[in-house]
Amino acid sequence: MALSAHRSTATTLLRHLSAATATIPSLRNLSTDSANPLTIETSVPFTGHKIDPPTRSVETNSQELMTFFRDMALMRRMEIAADSLYKAKLIRGFCHLYDGQEAVAVGMEAAINKKDCIITAYRDHCTFLGRGGSLYETFAELMGRKDGCSKGKGGSMHFYKKESGFFGGHGIVGAQIPLGCGLAFAQKYNKDENVTFTLYGDGAANQGQLFEALNMAALWDLPAILVCENNHYGMGTAEWRSAKSPAYYKRGDYVPGLKVDGMDVLAVKQACKFAKEHALKNGPIILEMDTYRYHGHSMSDPGSTYRTRDEISAMRQERDPIERVRKLLLSHDIAQEKELKDIEKEVRKEVDEAIAKAKECPMPDPSELFTNVYVKGFGTESFGADRKEVRAVLP
């Protein structure tokens, strides 16, 4: 079931519950006040580079906060299940998990639409889910089955959903960055009022192609938003050991940047909304999401040889994105603890059902090895005419 369908189901369920249990204040508040805005301050201020940062006061409402909680709980449970499936050898090859970083995927979606594009690296399961992908397609792809989002041929690193503006899932470190700027060029060429979010990690932030692509994006004022998901460890190397300047939001030099608490879903929403407005008017901007992954870099990395268990535990206790939203829901009397636990139980059931269904899905036919390799009929005959059109778009 797609994430949008989950949201609709959750909203309908809550309305029915509020009618049946009018004596529960939190449910009554949710059903009657969901359209009324709440103003909540972000956990820490934004820090700007060559730009005035947005306000810390974020507009939200009860329904949106409940949606945030459910979506992030679903993503968390999905990734934990993927860990178990990998250890059971039902998932093979590379697999990079996103648990801990869910606020980036969810907050970004809250600020944009499906005509805006997203392209990312190999830690892509939750981004696919946020773009409207289903749990079934996710687990089918992870297990190499034909109903997977890439027909079982891409695996963990190559999720894709073009119709919803999601262009992957890329296995080569930093290779998606020039592609993201190309998507932004296409948006400007077609005069779309949309932007492209290009996600990469702190390890990829040192790649030369980042600076080459950024230079072109700035020259041509492309609606490109470069998002560094700084989880502080490029594979097993801490950022301070690999980067002389780990202030990644300043790395663009002549391009504005913004440092964001990537563990605060409301801060991510505010920053992405701000970045979209800026990019449409002024060209590229860099967002540095200060986030953290709970698992190792990949399934071959225990994640505990280059950092302490105390560090991971402290991050879970102090900055966990799901727990932050849980506290907001409880403190604003939007939900009660039992309701939130019931949502987590429901999410677990949905994940288990999707896995069971995916296990029954057959593998792709061997003939699929020869499909989607070349594009037939593609040539350069019209390149000269295209160049004239391209020049007309550039500043």
Side-chain angles (χ1 to χ4, degrees), residues 222-339:
L222 302 184
I225 299 166
L226 276 63
V227 183
C228 177
E229 292 186 282
N230 181 11
N231 60 29
H232 302 283
Y233 295 97
M235 295 186 74
T237 304
E239 59 179 349
W240 61 269
R241 296 182 63 195
S242 62
K244 183 64 178 177
S245 172
Y248 299 105
Y249 69 104
K250 294 181 180 179
R251 287 286 198 91
D253 183 19
Y254 44 81
V255 172
L258 196 68
K259 186 171 183 179
V260 184
D261 182 354
M263 304 292 270
D264 180 346
V265 67
L266 289 170
V268 175
K269 172 191 167 184
Q270 187 85 328
C272 290
K273 181 181 177 183
F274 175 84
K276 179 176 178 177
E277 292 172 356
H278 170 88
L280 286 172
K281 294 177 182 176
N282 306 299
I285 182 172
I286 295 175
L287 300 181
E288 179 186 345
M289 299 291 178
D290 178 7
T291 186
Y292 197 83
R293 56 170 164 81
Y294 294 153
H295 268 85
H297 170 74
S298 66
M299 295 305 298
S300 61
D301 168 24
S304 56
T305 55
Y306 49 84
R307 57 182 181 176
T308 66
R309 295 189 183 279
D310 288 343
E311 177 184 309
I312 302 169
S313 177
M315 194 65 65
R316 286 181 179 275
Q317 291 176 15
E318 297 168 14
R319 297 186 64 205
D320 185 83
I322 299 175
E323 293 308 309
R324 282 181 167 182
V325 175
R326 189 194 303 273
K327 289 176 182 176
L328 283 174
L329 291 167
L330 296 174
S331 64
H332 286 81
D333 197 29
I334 296 168
Q336 295 182 347
E337 186 64 48
K338 184 181 182 304
E339 297 167 55

Side-chain angles (χ1 to χ4, degrees), residues 94 124 141-142 144 149-159:
F94 292 100
D124 58 354
E141 188 61 41
L142 287 171
C149 60
S150 297
K151 299 184 179 180
K153 301 196 294 181
S156 170
M157 299 195 294
H158 301 288
F159 280 41

